[in-house]
Amino acid sequence: MELHSSKWPSIQNGKSGRHICSLNYVKMEDGESQLLSDEGQTPEPLLGSLDIFIFSLIAGLLIYWFLFRKKTEPVLDFKTFPAVSPPIPETSFIEKMKKTNRNVVVFYGSQTGTAEEFANRLVKDAHRYGMKGMAADPEEYDMSELSRLKEIPNSMAVFCMATYGEGDPTDNAQEFYDWMQGTDDDLEGVNFAVFGLGNKTYEHFNATGKYTDKRLAELGGKRVFDLGLGDDDSNLEEDFISWKEQFWPAVCEFFGVEATGEDSSIRQFELVVHNDINMNQVYTGEMGRLKSFQTQKPPFDSKNPFLAPVSVNRKLNKGGNRHLMHIELDIMDSKIRYDAGDHVAVYPINDAVVVNRIGERLGVDLDTAISLRNLDEESNKKHPFPCPTTYRTALSHYLDINNKPRKNVLYDLAQYASDPQEQENMRKMASASPEGKALYQSWVLDSERNILAILEDLPSLNPPIDHLCELLPRLQARYYSIASSSKVHPNSIHICAVVIEYTTETGRVYKGVATNWLKNKEVTENGHKHTVPMYVRRSQFRLPFKPSNPVIMIGPGTGIAPFMGFIQERAWQKEQGKDVGETILYFGCRHKNEDFLYQQELEEFERAGVLTQLNVAFSRDQEHKIYVQHLLKKNKEQLWKLIHSNNAHIYVCGDARNMARDVHTAFYEIAEEVGGLTHTQAVDYFKKLMTKGRYSQDVWS
């Protein structure tokens, strides 16, 4: 309702205006009838009837003019003041660097916050070498000024660039990427270095980092140090630490500087406690605008998510020890639009039990209102998360308390361990020594200790909670492939997900933040509906433009999600009388009687002729495991004909590490065995299909 509340005053004012007009009209009617009754009197009038009429008309006009004339208001002599413009954000990073005496700028292309975190760590490191740096979001600055960097003596630009999706730049780096592709600026004299963040399970490993490094050199930039390639499938942070430990000595040699010996664990933010504050001014989980959850205003995006009511939350599997769920989000009043294949991003909330235990362990009142204020007044990032807020809100909505802490967090927290052995072990784990790496791998990563587990298992560690809040990374939105078509469900978005819960090596129960939070959003009979902060992220995972093109969909487990939307849309196209090509699904699950997701719906689509072929691999219903790739090989002649002769589009959704690779291999073998191609030719063949948009993947690791 609040979306339309602004309309009401204008309607009410309009009505009152009409009432005034009708009242004036009634008065005039009354006056006229009174004049007519006067005319009918018997005594001989002093004036003729025509004279009376003219006199009355003149008198009436005079009275009307006197009562209803538009009064001229006195003209006041105002002094003119210059217009006060709102402050314009600084878009020139060059001018900002000059004003604040900085010579290192670290740009980050970040989708989940890791590249931004690495950029901030490099800025802190710069102080150890007598250099002054700033972290910068390329989206906030005019990147065409890069050629001017040489105006600043001994300057350098570092780029921490993550690759997202199928070799794409992150959202905040898209404009910079486009600029690099189109510019012919001369970057001679511009010193640069690049660290890429990627994942080897994906086809286009570190494509954005590689392109940035190559393109800046092509434009004449001077590479200070070799391109670094981080692999999130292995250990991204180890790759980053190994790279920067060689990067800084190279920088020292290049610029002729030496380490100052200063500790790089200096604080970036200062604590401000608000003892007497109006709680209406305190953030309670909003991502951008204060009170945006109370007064929802479109458009909705990552900074302004929509609170979507949960209208359906049902368990999909009939048995087994897992919980697979189908959730429907109501977007009726949001003006949100989506296409089959898009992703829905949801902002989860951390487990209140874990939040409370952190507060108890550190002995703090979690409802204290605080702000963390950047000590660098020139920084665009005034706070690490929306402030003012409370410790409880920060730990619940803004900070990642469930994942394993990175090494820099252990390093900065080590100073607060009073036991020398515990402090030594923390510093050792944060180091790059083989012993330290092994200890961090076993004690933190393999044992899956989150920050609460570390605080519980290191009794002498008592950090100030504000420093802990400064160090922990931001809690990120979770992305799910939308399991519906807007052609069929324009007012709802469907999610298919599996709840993550298992026991770790330390005996603790690990619970996935988002899936357990969503699981508890049960629909009650009393009419109250839980809400989920969400927005839609566009995808390139799209059905063919021509419905007549055949589609081959491969999606085991929850990888079926986008294909539910695709199948719904193909059914809708069929209803519209369009010529719809073959629609073939390869689905996989463990047991037919346990986790055959959407079985009833899929079989109905098959009976209706929408699904021309439903192939299901039940991996554990027989002695030898059968997966989707085995079914592909079984139908190799039909598949090759559809792909090679009938212009079929292939879609793969699910696990990138194993399934997607195995499916790739199966298609290579089909091309070799049926198409007569060599292995090299087969690999090249499917790469060309990807380039043409006929082989699409929506995968995760």
Side-chain angles (χ1 to χ4, degrees):
M1 288 299 292
E2 290 178 4
L3 289 175
H4 307 289
S5 61
S6 62
K7 293 182 181 177
W8 287 110
S10 62
I11 293 171
Q12 290 166 349
N13 291 341
K15 282 183 177 178
S16 61
R18 285 195 294 274
H19 291 159
I20 289 168
C21 290
S22 61
L23 282 170
N24 292 339
Y25 184 64
V26 168
K27 284 180 182 177
M28 289 171 69
E29 281 187 336
D30 289 344
E32 284 180 1
S33 61
Q34 182 63 48
L35 286 170
L36 290 171
S37 63
D38 286 344
E39 283 183 49
Q41 292 178 6
T42 308
E44 184 69 28
L46 294 172
L47 299 170
S49 58
L50 182 61
D51 297 321
I52 290 171
F53 177 77
I54 294 169
F55 176 79
S56 299
L57 184 62
I58 293 168
L61 289 170
L62 286 170
I63 291 167
Y64 180 82
W65 178 82
F66 181 77
L67 291 176
F68 299 102
R69 65 190 170 92
K70 185 174 181 179
K71 297 178 178 65
T72 55
E73 296 180 2
V75 179
L76 300 177
D77 183 20
F78 286 109
K79 291 182 180 178
T80 56
F81 293 96
V84 180
S85 303
I88 299 170
E90 178 70 79
T91 60
S92 171
F93 67 89
I94 299 295
E95 295 306 317
K96 185 167 185 176
M97 290 175 74
K98 287 179 177 178
K99 272 191 271 183
T100 56
N101 196 29
R102 297 167 200 259
N103 58 348
V104 176
V105 57
V106 187
F107 293 104
Y108 56 85
S110 187
Q111 198 72 28
T112 63
T114 307
E116 181 181 1
E117 180 196 323
F118 286 0
N120 284 315
R121 284 162 72 169
L122 288 172
V123 168
K124 288 174 81 172
D125 285 348
H127 288 273
R128 293 168 54 195
Y129 300 93
M131 306 179 87
K132 199 173 178 189
M134 62 177 260
D137 182 342
E139 196 172 36
E140 295 178 358
Y141 293 98
D142 180 2
M143 295 304 291
S144 67
E145 287 200 332
L146 194 58
S147 60
R148 291 184 56 204
L149 189 63
K150 53 180 171 271
E151 296 174 14
I152 300 171
N154 294 326
S155 61
M156 171 177 61
V158 184
F159 296 84
C160 292
M161 306 298 287
T163 296
Y164 157 70
E166 293 300 304
D168 302 316
T170 58
D171 294 343
N172 76 311
Q174 185 65 57
E175 287 183 21
F176 171 55
Y177 190 86
D178 294 342
W179 173 79
M180 283 193 293
Q181 288 184 313
T183 191
D184 57 0
D185 285 7
D186 183 4
L187 298 187
E188 186 178 354
V190 174
N191 304 313
F192 76 90
V194 179
F195 181 80
L197 296 82
N199 189 313
K200 275 187 177 167
T201 59
Y202 292 89
E203 177 76 17
H204 306 282
F205 173 61
N206 257 313
T208 303
K210 290 174 181 175
Y211 178 77
T212 303
D213 180 74
K214 171 174 163 285
R215 186 63 180 142
L216 294 178
E218 286 174 350
L219 293 169
K222 175 68 176 175
R223 188 182 289 111
V224 174
F225 187 62
D226 295 337
L227 167 67
L229 297 175
D231 179 15
D232 199 29
D233 188 46
S234 177
N235 190 322
L236 186 61
E237 189 182 28
E238 284 292 353
D239 294 336
F240 174 66
I241 291 171
S242 298
W243 177 81
K244 77 185 184 83
E245 287 202 338
Q246 298 173 67
F247 166 72
W248 285 115
V251 170
C252 288
E253 185 178 343
F254 187 88
F255 290 108
V257 297
E258 293 181 0
T260 60
E262 286 184 34
D263 188 357
S264 65
S265 66
I266 53 174
R267 291 290 299 267
Q268 187 180 352
F269 298 91
E270 65 177 348
L271 172 66
V272 179
V273 178
H274 305 288
N275 292 317
D276 186 18
I277 188 172
N278 182 343
M279 293 309 285
N280 286 325
Q281 299 171 347
V282 175
Y283 281 86
T284 57
E286 303 94 329
M287 294 299 139
R289 179 174 57 86
L290 186 66
K291 302 299 176 189
S292 61
F293 288 162
Q294 283 89 331
T295 55
Q296 293 259 276
K297 296 176 184 176
F300 297 105
D301 54 27
S302 60
K303 293 283 191 286
N304 181 37
F306 175 65
L307 285 181
V310 177
S311 56
V312 175
N313 185 349
R314 63 184 171 93
K315 188 176 180 180
L316 284 171
N317 51 315
K318 298 184 284 287
N321 55 9
R322 297 185 302 161
H323 184 101
L324 294 114
M325 56 192 174
H326 171 86
I327 290 173
E328 297 183 14
L329 305 177
D330 185 349
I331 58 168
M332 173 79 78
D333 298 320
S334 67
K335 298 183 180 176
I336 288 174
R337 301 289 177 265
Y338 73 95
D339 291 307
D342 283 342
H343 300 129
V344 58
V346 304
Y347 284 105
I349 301 172
N350 284 314
D351 188 343
V353 173
V354 178
V355 171
N356 288 331
R357 281 169 63 187
I358 290 174
E360 290 165 8
R361 169 64 179 78
L362 297 178
V364 296
D365 178 4
L366 292 178
D367 296 312
T368 304
I370 57 108
S371 289
L372 291 183
R373 192 164 58 199
N374 203 321
L375 291 164
D376 179 1
E377 294 180 359
E378 299 297 329
S379 174
N380 280 12
K381 188 176 182 178
K382 303 302 180 189
H383 312 283
F385 43 77
C387 290
T389 189
T390 64
Y391 288 125
R392 185 181 306 282
T393 299
L395 292 170
S396 300
H397 294 267
Y398 299 138
L399 298 172
D400 188 344
I401 61 174
N402 206 42
N403 270 329
K404 304 167 281 290
R406 296 195 189 277
K407 288 188 168 190
N408 66 303
V409 176
L410 298 181
Y411 180 82
D412 281 7
L413 291 181
Q415 60 187 303
Y416 301 115
S418 57
D419 182 289
Q421 188 60 52
E422 289 184 358
Q423 187 175 119
E424 182 187 339
N425 284 339
M426 290 183 75
R427 293 197 187 279
K428 189 185 292 181
M429 285 189 286
S431 74
S433 69
E435 188 184 358
K437 286 180 180 180
L439 184 60
Y440 178 75
Q441 181 68 41
S442 63
W443 199 79
V444 177
L445 299 183
D446 295 343
S447 300
E448 298 190 69
R449 282 182 168 90
N450 60 18
I451 192 62
L452 175 61
I454 286 170
L455 289 169
E456 289 176 339
D457 292 347
L458 298 175
S460 82
L461 179 61
N462 288 294
I465 191 169
D466 59 289
H467 198 178
L468 181 66
C469 289
E470 175 182 327
L471 292 169
L472 291 174
R474 285 291 297 269
L475 181 62
Q476 298 296 322
R478 276 26 178 201
Y479 298 96
Y480 297 95
S481 302
I482 295 176
S484 53
S485 164
S486 60
K487 299 289 191 295
V488 182
H489 300 283
N491 296 319
S492 65
I493 283 177
H494 301 181
I495 294 173
C496 172
V498 58
V499 176
I500 306 298
E501 185 173 333
Y502 56 87
T503 304
T504 68
E505 287 182 7
T506 65
R508 294 178 171 93
V509 176
Y510 176 88
K511 291 184 175 184
V513 173
T515 53
N516 280 276
W517 175 73
L518 285 170
K519 178 189 174 186
N520 293 326
K521 299 277 183 183
E522 294 178 351
V523 180
T524 56
E525 293 181 2
N526 62 9
H528 171 73
K529 288 187 177 179
H530 293 285
T531 57
V532 171
M534 54 74 68
Y535 66 95
V536 168
R537 185 175 70 181
R538 294 292 176 183
S539 163
Q540 300 301 314
F541 202 68
R542 289 281 183 271
L543 278 169
F545 180 74
K546 291 182 179 178
S548 57
N549 285 125
V551 297
I552 301 162
M553 304 170 288
I554 302 112
T558 57
I560 195 175
F563 302 136
M564 292 306 296
F566 279 12
I567 296 165
Q568 289 170 14
E569 191 141 326
R570 299 280 271 192
W572 177 84
Q573 289 171 340
K574 215 172 174 71
E575 286 174 6
Q576 302 301 305
K578 294 181 180 176
D579 177 20
V580 178
E582 288 192 61
T583 305
I584 299 168
L585 175 66
Y586 285 84
F587 173 66
C589 61
R590 295 178 182 180
H591 302 283
K592 181 176 183 178
N593 295 326
E594 283 186 9
D595 53 357
F596 187 171
L597 307 183
Y598 300 108
Q599 179 180 359
Q600 188 176 339
E601 293 95 322
L602 292 173
E603 290 176 348
E604 181 56 42
F605 279 127
E606 188 180 30
R607 279 193 294 272
V610 175
L611 260 182
T612 47
Q613 206 175 313
L614 173 60
N615 306 281
V616 187
F618 303 109
S619 62
R620 304 182 189 184
D621 273 352
Q622 60 283 313
E623 188 177 343
H624 301 292
K625 289 185 178 178
I626 298 175
Y627 295 114
V628 285
Q629 60 267 26
H630 300 131
L631 299 187
L632 291 172
K633 289 293 298 294
K634 189 178 175 183
N635 298 327
K636 57 187 178 181
E637 285 85 5
Q638 179 212 18
L639 287 170
W640 181 249
K641 183 183 177 185
L642 286 169
I643 296 164
H644 192 62
S645 304
N646 297 355
N647 207 33
H649 288 235
I650 303 167
Y651 300 91
V652 182
C653 182
D655 165 50
R657 186 177 287 110
N658 299 309
M659 183 278 297
R661 284 180 174 176
D662 292 340
V663 166
H664 251 61
T665 302
F667 277 121
Y668 296 155
E669 290 172 357
I670 289 170
E672 292 167 36
E673 293 169 16
V674 184
L677 305 183
T678 66
H679 180 71
T680 304
Q681 288 172 331
V683 171
D684 188 53
Y685 182 90
F686 283 98
K687 276 189 177 177
K688 283 178 180 173
L689 286 189
M690 286 182 176
T691 305
K692 292 175 182 176
R694 283 183 52 207
Y695 192 121
S696 304
Q697 297 185 101
D698 182 2
V699 293
W700 54 85
S701 62

